[in-house]
Amino acid sequence: MDASKTSQFVVIPPPTVGVPIQGSESLFPVRRIFCVGRNYAEHAREMGANPDREPPFFFTKPADAIVTGGKDVLYPGATNNLHHEVELVIALGEGGSAIPKEDALHHVYGYAVGNDLTRRDLQAEAKKAGRPWDTAKGFDQSAPIAAISPVSVCGHINSGKISLSVNGALRQSGDVRDMIWSTEEIISCLSILFALQAGDLIFSGTPAGVGPLVPGDQVVAAIAGLTPLEHTLVC
């Protein structure tokens, strides 16, 4: 039955998740969160993969994994090895299927800095057993994100320093231009697998240097030209 034609739901529907827009009172409504695995060569190598032979692959996080506004992030249960992964996040303002690469950037609303938090121990167990990564990647508060900068303000982010520091010490440092699969290629490939829609976010992969976080750690993630992301891990 079409939910729009029902008079009420049997439980209260969850609120739409919104991400702040830089310089605006408006919010970006989040529909889905897609993530690209191993999209920087050095990170692929540190995870034991060969970046020269692997086509892009994707996993997802639920929309309510988002944490905005620099809020504290709760250290998750069921892990002893939580890792940080700074990423360029692509926010889609238009959807589509089988989007040609040359048209892909027209679908981008803006960009943001995100942290793809990962239960690395659970991911390693899943890999060994040939199981999905959901518990390692899609847990509560696993997707902290800074305010989205519209393309009209920041332009398209296809190069620039990307970094993450923990308690003032640099952990990750690279350049967005080092992505194996570009923003255009990511959108085009993803749109073959899914019908993309406005409100979708794409975490585009992380450079080398991923490592553990513990409660009390203060994280600062940055990409040139975008609002930095800051958050603290708490118990």
Side-chain angles (χ1 to χ4, degrees), residues 79-107:
T79 185
N80 293 308
N81 195 19
L82 179 71
H83 276 208
H84 56 76
E85 297 189 8
V86 59
E87 308 204 2
L88 173 69
V89 181
I90 305 158
L92 297 186
E94 296 181 20
S97 298
I99 299 169
K101 185 175 70 172
E102 56 270 21
D103 293 337
L105 291 183
H106 298 300
H107 295 256

mmCIF file with all atom_site columns, all heavy atoms in Angstrom, residues 79-107:
data_model
loop_
_atom_site.group_PDB
_atom_site.id
_atom_site.type_symbol
_atom_site.label_atom_id
_atom_site.label_alt_id
_atom_site.label_comp_id
_atom_site.label_asym_id
_atom_site.label_entity_id
_atom_site.label_seq_id
_atom_site.pdbx_PDB_ins_code
_atom_site.Cartn_x
_atom_site.Cartn_y
_atom_site.Cartn_z
_atom_site.occupancy
_atom_site.B_iso_or_equiv
_atom_site.pdbx_formal_charge
_atom_site.auth_seq_id
_atom_site.auth_comp_id
_atom_site.auth_asym_id
_atom_site.auth_atom_id
_atom_site.pdbx_PDB_model_num
ATOM 1   N N   . THR A 1 79  ? 33.787 -4.163 19.689  1.00 0.00 ? 79  THR A N   1
ATOM 2   C CA  . THR A 1 79  ? 35.058 -3.990 18.980  1.00 0.00 ? 79  THR A CA  1
ATOM 3   C C   . THR A 1 79  ? 36.153 -3.571 19.941  1.00 0.00 ? 79  THR A C   1
ATOM 4   O O   . THR A 1 79  ? 35.902 -2.893 20.936  1.00 0.00 ? 79  THR A O   1
ATOM 5   C CB  . THR A 1 79  ? 34.940 -2.932 17.859  1.00 0.00 ? 79  THR A CB  1
ATOM 6   O OG1 . THR A 1 79  ? 36.175 -2.880 17.123  1.00 0.00 ? 79  THR A OG1 1
ATOM 7   C CG2 . THR A 1 79  ? 34.654 -1.542 18.422  1.00 0.00 ? 79  THR A CG2 1
ATOM 8   N N   . ASN A 1 80  ? 37.356 -3.999 19.625  1.00 0.00 ? 80  ASN A N   1
ATOM 9   C CA  . ASN A 1 80  ? 38.547 -3.536 20.333  1.00 0.00 ? 80  ASN A CA  1
ATOM 10  C C   . ASN A 1 80  ? 39.513 -2.851 19.376  1.00 0.00 ? 80  ASN A C   1
ATOM 11  O O   . ASN A 1 80  ? 40.666 -2.603 19.722  1.00 0.00 ? 80  ASN A O   1
ATOM 12  C CB  . ASN A 1 80  ? 39.265 -4.717 21.015  1.00 0.00 ? 80  ASN A CB  1
ATOM 13  C CG  . ASN A 1 80  ? 38.444 -5.315 22.139  1.00 0.00 ? 80  ASN A CG  1
ATOM 14  O OD1 . ASN A 1 80  ? 37.987 -4.593 23.018  1.00 0.00 ? 80  ASN A OD1 1
ATOM 15  N ND2 . ASN A 1 80  ? 38.236 -6.623 22.091  1.00 0.00 ? 80  ASN A ND2 1
ATOM 16  N N   . ASN A 1 81  ? 39.015 -2.540 18.164  1.00 0.00 ? 81  ASN A N   1
ATOM 17  C CA  . ASN A 1 81  ? 39.902 -1.983 17.153  1.00 0.00 ? 81  ASN A CA  1
ATOM 18  C C   . ASN A 1 81  ? 39.112 -1.102 16.183  1.00 0.00 ? 81  ASN A C   1
ATOM 19  O O   . ASN A 1 81  ? 38.930 -1.423 15.014  1.00 0.00 ? 81  ASN A O   1
ATOM 20  C CB  . ASN A 1 81  ? 40.613 -3.106 16.388  1.00 0.00 ? 81  ASN A CB  1
ATOM 21  C CG  . ASN A 1 81  ? 41.802 -2.607 15.586  1.00 0.00 ? 81  ASN A CG  1
ATOM 22  O OD1 . ASN A 1 81  ? 42.335 -1.524 15.831  1.00 0.00 ? 81  ASN A OD1 1
ATOM 23  N ND2 . ASN A 1 81  ? 42.226 -3.399 14.614  1.00 0.00 ? 81  ASN A ND2 1
ATOM 24  N N   . LEU A 1 82  ? 38.646 0.044  16.689  1.00 0.00 ? 82  LEU A N   1
ATOM 25  C CA  . LEU A 1 82  ? 37.906 1.007  15.876  1.00 0.00 ? 82  LEU A CA  1
ATOM 26  C C   . LEU A 1 82  ? 38.888 1.875  15.092  1.00 0.00 ? 82  LEU A C   1
ATOM 27  O O   . LEU A 1 82  ? 39.808 2.450  15.676  1.00 0.00 ? 82  LEU A O   1
ATOM 28  C CB  . LEU A 1 82  ? 37.043 1.895  16.765  1.00 0.00 ? 82  LEU A CB  1
ATOM 29  C CG  . LEU A 1 82  ? 36.230 2.976  16.051  1.00 0.00 ? 82  LEU A CG  1
ATOM 30  C CD1 . LEU A 1 82  ? 35.089 2.346  15.262  1.00 0.00 ? 82  LEU A CD1 1
ATOM 31  C CD2 . LEU A 1 82  ? 35.703 3.991  17.050  1.00 0.00 ? 82  LEU A CD2 1
ATOM 32  N N   . HIS A 1 83  ? 38.704 1.976  13.774  1.00 0.00 ? 83  HIS A N   1
ATOM 33  C CA  . HIS A 1 83  ? 39.623 2.742  12.929  1.00 0.00 ? 83  HIS A CA  1
ATOM 34  C C   . HIS A 1 83  ? 38.944 3.965  12.321  1.00 0.00 ? 83  HIS A C   1
ATOM 35  O O   . HIS A 1 83  ? 37.750 3.962  12.032  1.00 0.00 ? 83  HIS A O   1
ATOM 36  C CB  . HIS A 1 83  ? 40.153 1.871  11.783  1.00 0.00 ? 83  HIS A CB  1
ATOM 37  C CG  . HIS A 1 83  ? 41.321 1.033  12.177  1.00 0.00 ? 83  HIS A CG  1
ATOM 38  N ND1 . HIS A 1 83  ? 42.284 0.624  11.279  1.00 0.00 ? 83  HIS A ND1 1
ATOM 39  C CD2 . HIS A 1 83  ? 41.702 0.522  13.374  1.00 0.00 ? 83  HIS A CD2 1
ATOM 40  C CE1 . HIS A 1 83  ? 43.202 -0.106 11.893  1.00 0.00 ? 83  HIS A CE1 1
ATOM 41  N NE2 . HIS A 1 83  ? 42.861 -0.188 13.168  1.00 0.00 ? 83  HIS A NE2 1
ATOM 42  N N   . HIS A 1 84  ? 39.752 5.005  12.101  1.00 0.00 ? 84  HIS A N   1
ATOM 43  C CA  . HIS A 1 84  ? 39.335 6.206  11.376  1.00 0.00 ? 84  HIS A CA  1
ATOM 44  C C   . HIS A 1 84  ? 39.668 6.057  9.903   1.00 0.00 ? 84  HIS A C   1
ATOM 45  O O   . HIS A 1 84  ? 40.654 5.403  9.533   1.00 0.00 ? 84  HIS A O   1
ATOM 46  C CB  . HIS A 1 84  ? 40.049 7.447  11.924  1.00 0.00 ? 84  HIS A CB  1
ATOM 47  C CG  . HIS A 1 84  ? 41.552 7.336  11.909  1.00 0.00 ? 84  HIS A CG  1
ATOM 48  N ND1 . HIS A 1 84  ? 42.313 7.467  10.759  1.00 0.00 ? 84  HIS A ND1 1
ATOM 49  C CD2 . HIS A 1 84  ? 42.437 7.085  12.908  1.00 0.00 ? 84  HIS A CD2 1
ATOM 50  C CE1 . HIS A 1 84  ? 43.597 7.325  11.043  1.00 0.00 ? 84  HIS A CE1 1
ATOM 51  N NE2 . HIS A 1 84  ? 43.702 7.077  12.345  1.00 0.00 ? 84  HIS A NE2 1
ATOM 52  N N   . GLU A 1 85  ? 38.842 6.684  9.031   1.00 0.00 ? 85  GLU A N   1
ATOM 53  C CA  . GLU A 1 85  ? 39.098 6.729  7.589   1.00 0.00 ? 85  GLU A CA  1
ATOM 54  C C   . GLU A 1 85  ? 38.543 8.050  7.051   1.00 0.00 ? 85  GLU A C   1
ATOM 55  O O   . GLU A 1 85  ? 37.337 8.158  6.792   1.00 0.00 ? 85  GLU A O   1
ATOM 56  C CB  . GLU A 1 85  ? 38.438 5.544  6.861   1.00 0.00 ? 85  GLU A CB  1
ATOM 57  C CG  . GLU A 1 85  ? 38.963 4.182  7.273   1.00 0.00 ? 85  GLU A CG  1
ATOM 58  C CD  . GLU A 1 85  ? 38.455 3.057  6.381   1.00 0.00 ? 85  GLU A CD  1
ATOM 59  O OE1 . GLU A 1 85  ? 37.816 3.358  5.343   1.00 0.00 ? 85  GLU A OE1 1
ATOM 60  O OE2 . GLU A 1 85  ? 38.690 1.889  6.708   1.00 0.00 ? 85  GLU A OE2 1
ATOM 61  N N   . VAL A 1 86  ? 39.393 9.054  6.858   1.00 0.00 ? 86  VAL A N   1
ATOM 62  C CA  . VAL A 1 86  ? 38.934 10.330 6.323   1.00 0.00 ? 86  VAL A CA  1
ATOM 63  C C   . VAL A 1 86  ? 38.577 10.161 4.845   1.00 0.00 ? 86  VAL A C   1
ATOM 64  O O   . VAL A 1 86  ? 39.292 9.487  4.094   1.00 0.00 ? 86  VAL A O   1
ATOM 65  C CB  . VAL A 1 86  ? 39.999 11.429 6.505   1.00 0.00 ? 86  VAL A CB  1
ATOM 66  C CG1 . VAL A 1 86  ? 41.312 11.080 5.823   1.00 0.00 ? 86  VAL A CG1 1
ATOM 67  C CG2 . VAL A 1 86  ? 39.479 12.768 5.983   1.00 0.00 ? 86  VAL A CG2 1
ATOM 68  N N   . GLU A 1 87  ? 37.450 10.771 4.422   1.00 0.00 ? 87  GLU A N   1
ATOM 69  C CA  . GLU A 1 87  ? 37.003 10.587 3.040   1.00 0.00 ? 87  GLU A CA  1
ATOM 70  C C   . GLU A 1 87  ? 36.333 11.850 2.501   1.00 0.00 ? 87  GLU A C   1
ATOM 71  O O   . GLU A 1 87  ? 35.686 12.599 3.239   1.00 0.00 ? 87  GLU A O   1
ATOM 72  C CB  . GLU A 1 87  ? 36.018 9.415  2.952   1.00 0.00 ? 87  GLU A CB  1
ATOM 73  C CG  . GLU A 1 87  ? 36.562 8.146  3.601   1.00 0.00 ? 87  GLU A CG  1
ATOM 74  C CD  . GLU A 1 87  ? 35.940 6.870  3.074   1.00 0.00 ? 87  GLU A CD  1
ATOM 75  O OE1 . GLU A 1 87  ? 35.085 6.947  2.156   1.00 0.00 ? 87  GLU A OE1 1
ATOM 76  O OE2 . GLU A 1 87  ? 36.322 5.801  3.573   1.00 0.00 ? 87  GLU A OE2 1
ATOM 77  N N   . LEU A 1 88  ? 36.480 12.054 1.194   1.00 0.00 ? 88  LEU A N   1
ATOM 78  C CA  . LEU A 1 88  ? 35.683 13.045 0.474   1.00 0.00 ? 88  LEU A CA  1
ATOM 79  C C   . LEU A 1 88  ? 34.288 12.466 0.293   1.00 0.00 ? 88  LEU A C   1
ATOM 80  O O   . LEU A 1 88  ? 34.118 11.353 -0.222  1.00 0.00 ? 88  LEU A O   1
ATOM 81  C CB  . LEU A 1 88  ? 36.303 13.338 -0.894  1.00 0.00 ? 88  LEU A CB  1
ATOM 82  C CG  . LEU A 1 88  ? 35.484 14.246 -1.823  1.00 0.00 ? 88  LEU A CG  1
ATOM 83  C CD1 . LEU A 1 88  ? 35.445 15.674 -1.286  1.00 0.00 ? 88  LEU A CD1 1
ATOM 84  C CD2 . LEU A 1 88  ? 36.063 14.218 -3.241  1.00 0.00 ? 88  LEU A CD2 1
ATOM 85  N N   . VAL A 1 89  ? 33.271 13.215 0.720   1.00 0.00 ? 89  VAL A N   1
ATOM 86  C CA  . VAL A 1 89  ? 31.888 12.774 0.580   1.00 0.00 ? 89  VAL A CA  1
ATOM 87  C C   . VAL A 1 89  ? 31.234 13.559 -0.555  1.00 0.00 ? 89  VAL A C   1
ATOM 88  O O   . VAL A 1 89  ? 31.301 14.793 -0.595  1.00 0.00 ? 89  VAL A O   1
ATOM 89  C CB  . VAL A 1 89  ? 31.104 12.982 1.884   1.00 0.00 ? 89  VAL A CB  1
ATOM 90  C CG1 . VAL A 1 89  ? 29.662 12.497 1.710   1.00 0.00 ? 89  VAL A CG1 1
ATOM 91  C CG2 . VAL A 1 89  ? 31.775 12.244 3.039   1.00 0.00 ? 89  VAL A CG2 1
ATOM 92  N N   . ILE A 1 90  ? 30.610 12.848 -1.458  1.00 0.00 ? 90  ILE A N   1
ATOM 93  C CA  . ILE A 1 90  ? 29.918 13.431 -2.607  1.00 0.00 ? 90  ILE A CA  1
ATOM 94  C C   . ILE A 1 90  ? 28.418 13.430 -2.309  1.00 0.00 ? 90  ILE A C   1
ATOM 95  O O   . ILE A 1 90  ? 27.842 12.375 -2.012  1.00 0.00 ? 90  ILE A O   1
ATOM 96  C CB  . ILE A 1 90  ? 30.193 12.604 -3.879  1.00 0.00 ? 90  ILE A CB  1
ATOM 97  C CG1 . ILE A 1 90  ? 31.704 12.464 -4.119  1.00 0.00 ? 90  ILE A CG1 1
ATOM 98  C CG2 . ILE A 1 90  ? 29.503 13.215 -5.088  1.00 0.00 ? 90  ILE A CG2 1
ATOM 99  C CD1 . ILE A 1 90  ? 32.072 11.266 -4.990  1.00 0.00 ? 90  ILE A CD1 1
ATOM 100 N N   . ALA A 1 91  ? 27.785 14.598 -2.373  1.00 0.00 ? 91  ALA A N   1
ATOM 101 C CA  . ALA A 1 91  ? 26.349 14.726 -2.115  1.00 0.00 ? 91  ALA A CA  1
ATOM 102 C C   . ALA A 1 91  ? 25.624 14.925 -3.438  1.00 0.00 ? 91  ALA A C   1
ATOM 103 O O   . ALA A 1 91  ? 25.928 15.859 -4.184  1.00 0.00 ? 91  ALA A O   1
ATOM 104 C CB  . ALA A 1 91  ? 26.078 15.901 -1.181  1.00 0.00 ? 91  ALA A CB  1
ATOM 105 N N   . LEU A 1 92  ? 24.686 14.058 -3.745  1.00 0.00 ? 92  LEU A N   1
ATOM 106 C CA  . LEU A 1 92  ? 23.985 14.116 -5.028  1.00 0.00 ? 92  LEU A CA  1
ATOM 107 C C   . LEU A 1 92  ? 22.735 14.978 -4.945  1.00 0.00 ? 92  LEU A C   1
ATOM 108 O O   . LEU A 1 92  ? 21.895 14.800 -4.056  1.00 0.00 ? 92  LEU A O   1
ATOM 109 C CB  . LEU A 1 92  ? 23.597 12.710 -5.485  1.00 0.00 ? 92  LEU A CB  1
ATOM 110 C CG  . LEU A 1 92  ? 24.738 11.737 -5.773  1.00 0.00 ? 92  LEU A CG  1
ATOM 111 C CD1 . LEU A 1 92  ? 24.183 10.437 -6.354  1.00 0.00 ? 92  LEU A CD1 1
ATOM 112 C CD2 . LEU A 1 92  ? 25.773 12.341 -6.717  1.00 0.00 ? 92  LEU A CD2 1
ATOM 113 N N   . GLY A 1 93  ? 22.604 15.902 -5.893  1.00 0.00 ? 93  GLY A N   1
ATOM 114 C CA  . GLY A 1 93  ? 21.426 16.745 -5.991  1.00 0.00 ? 93  GLY A CA  1
ATOM 115 C C   . GLY A 1 93  ? 20.454 16.275 -7.046  1.00 0.00 ? 93  GLY A C   1
ATOM 116 O O   . GLY A 1 93  ? 19.322 16.741 -7.113  1.00 0.00 ? 93  GLY A O   1
ATOM 117 N N   . GLU A 1 94  ? 20.897 15.336 -7.881  1.00 0.00 ? 94  GLU A N   1
ATOM 118 C CA  . GLU A 1 94  ? 20.051 14.721 -8.905  1.00 0.00 ? 94  GLU A CA  1
ATOM 119 C C   . GLU A 1 94  ? 20.360 13.239 -8.957  1.00 0.00 ? 94  GLU A C   1
ATOM 120 O O   . GLU A 1 94  ? 21.493 12.822 -8.714  1.00 0.00 ? 94  GLU A O   1
ATOM 121 C CB  . GLU A 1 94  ? 20.310 15.330 -10.286 1.00 0.00 ? 94  GLU A CB  1
ATOM 122 C CG  . GLU A 1 94  ? 19.976 16.796 -10.433 1.00 0.00 ? 94  GLU A CG  1
ATOM 123 C CD  . GLU A 1 94  ? 20.238 17.308 -11.838 1.00 0.00 ? 94  GLU A CD  1
ATOM 124 O OE1 . GLU A 1 94  ? 20.305 16.462 -12.765 1.00 0.00 ? 94  GLU A OE1 1
ATOM 125 O OE2 . GLU A 1 94  ? 20.384 18.521 -12.007 1.00 0.00 ? 94  GLU A OE2 1
ATOM 126 N N   . GLY A 1 95  ? 19.346 12.435 -9.294  1.00 0.00 ? 95  GLY A N   1
ATOM 127 C CA  . GLY A 1 95  ? 19.544 10.999 -9.404  1.00 0.00 ? 95  GLY A CA  1
ATOM 128 C C   . GLY A 1 95  ? 19.576 10.545 -10.840 1.00 0.00 ? 95  GLY A C   1
ATOM 129 O O   . GLY A 1 95  ? 19.608 11.343 -11.776 1.00 0.00 ? 95  GLY A O   1
ATOM 130 N N   . GLY A 1 96  ? 19.554 9.225  -11.008 1.00 0.00 ? 96  GLY A N   1
ATOM 131 C CA  . GLY A 1 96  ? 19.553 8.657  -12.341 1.00 0.00 ? 96  GLY A CA  1
ATOM 132 C C   . GLY A 1 96  ? 20.112 7.257  -12.349 1.00 0.00 ? 96  GLY A C   1
ATOM 133 O O   . GLY A 1 96  ? 20.713 6.799  -11.376 1.00 0.00 ? 96  GLY A O   1
ATOM 134 N N   . SER A 1 97  ? 19.923 6.568  -13.460 1.00 0.00 ? 97  SER A N   1
ATOM 135 C CA  . SER A 1 97  ? 20.461 5.231  -13.680 1.00 0.00 ? 97  SER A CA  1
ATOM 136 C C   . SER A 1 97  ? 21.346 5.240  -14.914 1.00 0.00 ? 97  SER A C   1
ATOM 137 O O   . SER A 1 97  ? 21.081 5.993  -15.861 1.00 0.00 ? 97  SER A O   1
ATOM 138 C CB  . SER A 1 97  ? 19.329 4.219  -13.863 1.00 0.00 ? 97  SER A CB  1
ATOM 139 O OG  . SER A 1 97  ? 18.518 4.134  -12.704 1.00 0.00 ? 97  SER A OG  1
ATOM 140 N N   . ALA A 1 98  ? 22.385 4.410  -14.886 1.00 0.00 ? 98  ALA A N   1
ATOM 141 C CA  . ALA A 1 98  ? 23.312 4.308  -16.020 1.00 0.00 ? 98  ALA A CA  1
ATOM 142 C C   . ALA A 1 98  ? 23.761 5.691  -16.483 1.00 0.00 ? 98  ALA A C   1
ATOM 143 O O   . ALA A 1 98  ? 23.685 6.030  -17.668 1.00 0.00 ? 98  ALA A O   1
ATOM 144 C CB  . ALA A 1 98  ? 22.664 3.524  -17.161 1.00 0.00 ? 98  ALA A CB  1
ATOM 145 N N   . ILE A 1 99  ? 24.233 6.482  -15.557 1.00 0.00 ? 99  ILE A N   1
ATOM 146 C CA  . ILE A 1 99  ? 24.661 7.857  -15.857 1.00 0.00 ? 99  ILE A CA  1
ATOM 147 C C   . ILE A 1 99  ? 25.989 7.832  -16.605 1.00 0.00 ? 99  ILE A C   1
ATOM 148 O O   . ILE A 1 99  ? 26.965 7.251  -16.111 1.00 0.00 ? 99  ILE A O   1
ATOM 149 C CB  . ILE A 1 99  ? 24.806 8.662  -14.549 1.00 0.00 ? 99  ILE A CB  1
ATOM 150 C CG1 . ILE A 1 99  ? 23.462 8.732  -13.811 1.00 0.00 ? 99  ILE A CG1 1
ATOM 151 C CG2 . ILE A 1 99  ? 25.341 10.059 -14.823 1.00 0.00 ? 99  ILE A CG2 1
ATOM 152 C CD1 . ILE A 1 99  ? 23.575 9.264  -12.397 1.00 0.00 ? 99  ILE A CD1 1
ATOM 153 N N   . PRO A 1 100 ? 26.079 8.449  -17.770 1.00 0.00 ? 100 PRO A N   1
ATOM 154 C CA  . PRO A 1 100 ? 27.363 8.503  -18.476 1.00 0.00 ? 100 PRO A CA  1
ATOM 155 C C   . PRO A 1 100 ? 28.402 9.283  -17.665 1.00 0.00 ? 100 PRO A C   1
ATOM 156 O O   . PRO A 1 100 ? 28.061 10.250 -16.974 1.00 0.00 ? 100 PRO A O   1
ATOM 157 C CB  . PRO A 1 100 ? 27.027 9.238  -19.782 1.00 0.00 ? 100 PRO A CB  1
ATOM 158 C CG  . PRO A 1 100 ? 25.547 9.116  -19.928 1.00 0.00 ? 100 PRO A CG  1
ATOM 159 C CD  . PRO A 1 100 ? 24.995 9.092  -18.538 1.00 0.00 ? 100 PRO A CD  1
ATOM 160 N N   . LYS A 1 101 ? 29.621 8.857  -17.767 1.00 0.00 ? 101 LYS A N   1
ATOM 161 C CA  . LYS A 1 101 ? 30.687 9.503  -16.991 1.00 0.00 ? 101 LYS A CA  1
ATOM 162 C C   . LYS A 1 101 ? 30.762 10.991 -17.294 1.00 0.00 ? 101 LYS A C   1
ATOM 163 O O   . LYS A 1 101 ? 30.962 11.811 -16.387 1.00 0.00 ? 101 LYS A O   1
ATOM 164 C CB  . LYS A 1 101 ? 32.030 8.824  -17.290 1.00 0.00 ? 101 LYS A CB  1
ATOM 165 C CG  . LYS A 1 101 ? 33.175 9.345  -16.442 1.00 0.00 ? 101 LYS A CG  1
ATOM 166 C CD  . LYS A 1 101 ? 34.453 8.546  -16.685 1.00 0.00 ? 101 LYS A CD  1
ATOM 167 C CE  . LYS A 1 101 ? 35.025 8.818  -18.051 1.00 0.00 ? 101 LYS A CE  1
ATOM 168 N NZ  . LYS A 1 101 ? 36.366 8.200  -18.242 1.00 0.00 ? 101 LYS A NZ  1
ATOM 169 N N   . GLU A 1 102 ? 30.568 11.359 -18.559 1.00 0.00 ? 102 GLU A N   1
ATOM 170 C CA  . GLU A 1 102 ? 30.696 12.768 -18.934 1.00 0.00 ? 102 GLU A CA  1
ATOM 171 C C   . GLU A 1 102 ? 29.555 13.632 -18.385 1.00 0.00 ? 102 GLU A C   1
ATOM 172 O O   . GLU A 1 102 ? 29.666 14.860 -18.366 1.00 0.00 ? 102 GLU A O   1
ATOM 173 C CB  . GLU A 1 102 ? 30.766 12.910 -20.453 1.00 0.00 ? 102 GLU A CB  1
ATOM 174 C CG  . GLU A 1 102 ? 29.613 12.308 -21.213 1.00 0.00 ? 102 GLU A CG  1
ATOM 175 C CD  . GLU A 1 102 ? 29.853 10.850 -21.596 1.00 0.00 ? 102 GLU A CD  1
ATOM 176 O OE1 . GLU A 1 102 ? 30.695 10.182 -20.957 1.00 0.00 ? 102 GLU A OE1 1
ATOM 177 O OE2 . GLU A 1 102 ? 29.176 10.394 -22.556 1.00 0.00 ? 102 GLU A OE2 1
ATOM 178 N N   . ASP A 1 103 ? 28.476 13.009 -17.921 1.00 0.00 ? 103 ASP A N   1
ATOM 179 C CA  . ASP A 1 103 ? 27.356 13.755 -17.343 1.00 0.00 ? 103 ASP A CA  1
ATOM 180 C C   . ASP A 1 103 ? 27.322 13.700 -15.821 1.00 0.00 ? 103 ASP A C   1
ATOM 181 O O   . ASP A 1 103 ? 26.494 14.359 -15.195 1.00 0.00 ? 103 ASP A O   1
ATOM 182 C CB  . ASP A 1 103 ? 26.022 13.200 -17.879 1.00 0.00 ? 103 ASP A CB  1
ATOM 183 C CG  . ASP A 1 103 ? 25.834 13.441 -19.362 1.00 0.00 ? 103 ASP A CG  1
ATOM 184 O OD1 . ASP A 1 103 ? 26.477 14.375 -19.897 1.00 0.00 ? 103 ASP A OD1 1
ATOM 185 O OD2 . ASP A 1 103 ? 25.069 12.691 -19.988 1.00 0.00 ? 103 ASP A OD2 1
ATOM 186 N N   . ALA A 1 104 ? 28.210 12.913 -15.220 1.00 0.00 ? 104 ALA A N   1
ATOM 187 C CA  . ALA A 1 104 ? 28.088 12.588 -13.806 1.00 0.00 ? 104 ALA A CA  1
ATOM 188 C C   . ALA A 1 104 ? 28.188 13.801 -12.888 1.00 0.00 ? 104 ALA A C   1
ATOM 189 O O   . ALA A 1 104 ? 27.457 13.916 -11.900 1.00 0.00 ? 104 ALA A O   1
ATOM 190 C CB  . ALA A 1 104 ? 29.145 11.551 -13.420 1.00 0.00 ? 104 ALA A CB  1
ATOM 191 N N   . LEU A 1 105 ? 29.078 14.733 -13.184 1.00 0.00 ? 105 LEU A N   1
ATOM 192 C CA  . LEU A 1 105 ? 29.278 15.873 -12.290 1.00 0.00 ? 105 LEU A CA  1
ATOM 193 C C   . LEU A 1 105 ? 28.057 16.777 -12.224 1.00 0.00 ? 105 LEU A C   1
ATOM 194 O O   . LEU A 1 105 ? 27.885 17.514 -11.245 1.00 0.00 ? 105 LEU A O   1
ATOM 195 C CB  . LEU A 1 105 ? 30.507 16.677 -12.712 1.00 0.00 ? 105 LEU A CB  1
ATOM 196 C CG  . LEU A 1 105 ? 31.860 15.987 -12.513 1.00 0.00 ? 105 LEU A CG  1
ATOM 197 C CD1 . LEU A 1 105 ? 33.000 16.925 -12.901 1.00 0.00 ? 105 LEU A CD1 1
ATOM 198 C CD2 . LEU A 1 105 ? 32.043 15.492 -11.078 1.00 0.00 ? 105 LEU A CD2 1
ATOM 199 N N   . HIS A 1 106 ? 27.192 16.725 -13.233 1.00 0.00 ? 106 HIS A N   1
ATOM 200 C CA  . HIS A 1 106 ? 25.964 17.524 -13.211 1.00 0.00 ? 106 HIS A CA  1
ATOM 201 C C   . HIS A 1 106 ? 25.001 17.051 -12.113 1.00 0.00 ? 106 HIS A C   1
ATOM 202 O O   . HIS A 1 106 ? 24.079 17.771 -11.744 1.00 0.00 ? 106 HIS A O   1
ATOM 203 C CB  . HIS A 1 106 ? 25.260 17.473 -14.568 1.00 0.00 ? 106 HIS A CB  1
ATOM 204 C CG  . HIS A 1 106 ? 26.061 18.048 -15.690 1.00 0.00 ? 106 HIS A CG  1
ATOM 205 N ND1 . HIS A 1 106 ? 26.489 19.359 -15.706 1.00 0.00 ? 106 HIS A ND1 1
ATOM 206 C CD2 . HIS A 1 106 ? 26.531 17.487 -16.834 1.00 0.00 ? 106 HIS A CD2 1
ATOM 207 C CE1 . HIS A 1 106 ? 27.181 19.589 -16.814 1.00 0.00 ? 106 HIS A CE1 1
ATOM 208 N NE2 . HIS A 1 106 ? 27.216 18.470 -17.515 1.00 0.00 ? 106 HIS A NE2 1
ATOM 209 N N   . HIS A 1 107 ? 25.235 15.857 -11.598 1.00 0.00 ? 107 HIS A N   1
ATOM 210 C CA  . HIS A 1 107 ? 24.370 15.286 -10.572 1.00 0.00 ? 107 HIS A CA  1
ATOM 211 C C   . HIS A 1 107 ? 24.850 15.633 -9.161  1.00 0.00 ? 107 HIS A C   1
ATOM 212 O O   . HIS A 1 107 ? 24.168 15.296 -8.191  1.00 0.00 ? 107 HIS A O   1
ATOM 213 C CB  . HIS A 1 107 ? 24.295 13.770 -10.734 1.00 0.00 ? 107 HIS A CB  1
ATOM 214 C CG  . HIS A 1 107 ? 23.644 13.337 -12.017 1.00 0.00 ? 107 HIS A CG  1
ATOM 215 N ND1 . HIS A 1 107 ? 22.355 12.845 -12.069 1.00 0.00 ? 107 HIS A ND1 1
ATOM 216 C CD2 . HIS A 1 107 ? 24.098 13.342 -13.298 1.00 0.00 ? 107 HIS A CD2 1
ATOM 217 C CE1 . HIS A 1 107 ? 22.055 12.560 -13.324 1.00 0.00 ? 107 HIS A CE1 1
ATOM 218 N NE2 . HIS A 1 107 ? 23.097 12.849 -14.088 1.00 0.00 ? 107 HIS A NE2 1
#
